[in-house]
Amino acid sequence: MTLLAFLFAAHADPSLDPDDGVPFRSVGDLDGDGQPELIGNVDGEHLEILWGGSDLATTLADPDASNPSGVQSMAGVRVISKDLDGDGVPDLLIGAPGFNAERHDVGRVYLVPGGRLDASVERRRLDSIAVGWIEGEAFSDRVGEHIRVLDGGSLIEVRIEEGQRAGTYVFDSKLKGPVPLASGRKS
């Protein structure tokens, strides 16, 4: 059994426990072939998309994966798959709470439209395929650790649990380019 076959079987078969080292979960059909894809963080820095119905995989690398502090970005510690733009293809919100940006653990949440992903590319940088991202601004904001989609997909909620910026921030789901945490509506 290939690794991809095992991972798909583990997702479909409850007797194969996904908590036993299988960090992948279904995110729906990203490429329109009728087969669901799996996504998971493989090493604290990189996400793998395993394309359903094939033996192909795409690595999504956080641009900060080799940050000088040695802290892992944890890209994909939180992933939400939901059609946010109404095109019928699931989009991905990918949390990377350890993203560094020259400031320790400011974090990011990337918005990647499902239509921008396909199995033809083996490796992509998250910031090159994301249409936008929410980025923390201060030490240990850890944006991306707690994210939710609200109001049927029109809003993104980011929660910061510690520090001066602790609270919940709400953003329009139509992110474009970098969006600082402070531009969200704090509640």
Side-chain angles (χ1 to χ4, degrees), residues 19-101:
D19 293 331
D20 289 339
V22 184
F24 288 82
R25 67 172 194 249
S26 176
V27 290
D29 182 12
L30 299 176
D31 59 2
D33 68 354
Q35 300 290 321
E37 278 62 65
L38 298 177
I39 191 168
N41 184 305
V42 294
D43 61 5
E45 299 175 3
H46 301 90
L47 289 168
E48 291 284 330
I49 297 178
L50 305 177
W51 298 95
S54 76
D55 284 334
L56 300 174
T58 298
T59 299
L60 300 178
D62 191 307
D64 191 48
S66 59
N67 77 61
S69 69
V71 175
Q72 294 178 330
S73 69
M74 300 184 332
V77 70
R78 296 286 182 266
V79 176
I80 294 175
S81 172
K82 186 164 181 71
D83 182 10
L84 300 175
D85 57 14
D87 66 356
V89 179
D91 305 303
L92 299 176
L93 286 172
I94 300 172
F99 178 82
N100 194 31

Side-chain angles (χ1 to χ4, degrees), residues 3-15:
L3 173 62
L4 289 177
F6 172 77
L7 291 170
F8 277 100
H11 177 72
D13 182 352
S15 70

Side-chain angles (χ1 to χ4, degrees), residues 135-148:
E135 185 169 312
E137 300 168 334
F139 177 79
S140 294
D141 277 349
R142 299 188 61 76
V143 168
E145 197 164 49
H146 303 283
I147 54 179
R148 287 192 320 165

Side-chain angles (χ1 to χ4, degrees), residues 107-138:
R108 274 188 177 172
V109 174
Y110 296 95
L111 172 57
V112 179
R116 286 192 161 198
L117 296 168
D118 63 60
S120 67
V121 179
E122 289 182 28
R123 186 174 178 89
R124 301 286 301 265
R125 281 177 48 133
L126 278 170
D127 61 344
S128 73
I129 58 170
V131 293
W133 56 85
I134 301 164
E135 185 169 312
E137 300 168 334

